[in-house]
Amino acid sequence: MNIVGRITKNAEINHLKNDKQVVNFSVAINDSYKTKQGERREQTTYYNCSYWLSPNVAKILSKGTLVELTGRVSSNAWIGKDGEIKSGLNFHTSNIKVHGGGKKSDTDEQPASQPQKSNAFSEDTDDDLPF
């Protein structure tokens, strides 16, 4: 599945007990539609995203950045501290393509003589697909 949206806050790297690292971030996807009465309505869907392949991607995933993600969706539900049932959508990301728009830090800039970093991160697979 592919989704395109904007990052809602800077990505964070979480360190797990088994020395693995996961990059967590959230993406908002805006959609609009017309009601039967002809009114235009805006709807925003939020996804909590995780990326396990490289913690280095967190450097370019800043608030406001437009990203295209490939992966799979799952949902979860829990009971909040207030006793209410909560739910959320998770996107397990295997490929990230950055389209831009986020806030850049001084460390992201490179002199013109150096090659630019690729802003695409993907999972290497050995699938034998016929297409």
Side-chain angles (χ1 to χ4, degrees):
M1 176 175 179
N2 288 346
I3 61 173
V4 177
R6 293 209 178 266
I7 296 178
T8 61
K9 67 177 185 172
N10 293 345
E12 298 175 351
I13 300 172
N14 291 322
H15 303 273
L16 307 177
K17 292 179 184 176
N18 58 2
D19 289 333
K20 287 193 175 194
Q21 296 177 341
V22 60
V23 177
N24 291 315
F25 57 101
S26 177
V27 171
I29 299 172
N30 296 319
D31 193 16
S32 64
Y33 62 94
K34 282 189 178 180
T35 65
K36 290 181 181 179
Q37 294 78 21
E39 295 178 42
R40 182 162 284 314
R41 295 275 172 101
E42 297 288 329
Q43 181 177 6
T44 302
T45 304
Y46 296 92
Y47 289 89
N48 295 315
C49 302
S50 59
Y51 185 76
W52 294 84
L53 302 175
S54 172
N56 293 332
V57 73
K59 296 174 188 173
I60 62 170
L61 298 178
S62 58
K63 181 177 180 175
T65 301
L66 182 64
V67 292
E68 181 178 347
L69 307 174
T70 303
R72 63 182 175 82
V73 176
S74 68
S75 62
N76 63 336
W78 66 94
I79 298 176
K81 292 179 182 179
D82 59 2
E84 295 291 320
I85 296 175
K86 311 281 184 179
S87 65
L89 293 171
N90 301 311
F91 197 82
H92 306 277
T93 309
S94 60
N95 187 326
I96 300 171
K97 184 174 182 182
V98 177
H99 292 285
K103 181 180 177 185
K104 288 193 168 221
S105 68
D106 293 337
T107 58
D108 288 343
E109 295 179 20
Q110 295 179 350
S113 61
Q114 291 184 2
Q116 295 294 315
K117 294 184 282 190
S118 170
N119 286 341
F121 292 82
S122 64
E123 179 176 9
D124 293 329
T125 60
D126 294 325
D127 294 342
D128 291 330
L129 299 175
F131 50 91

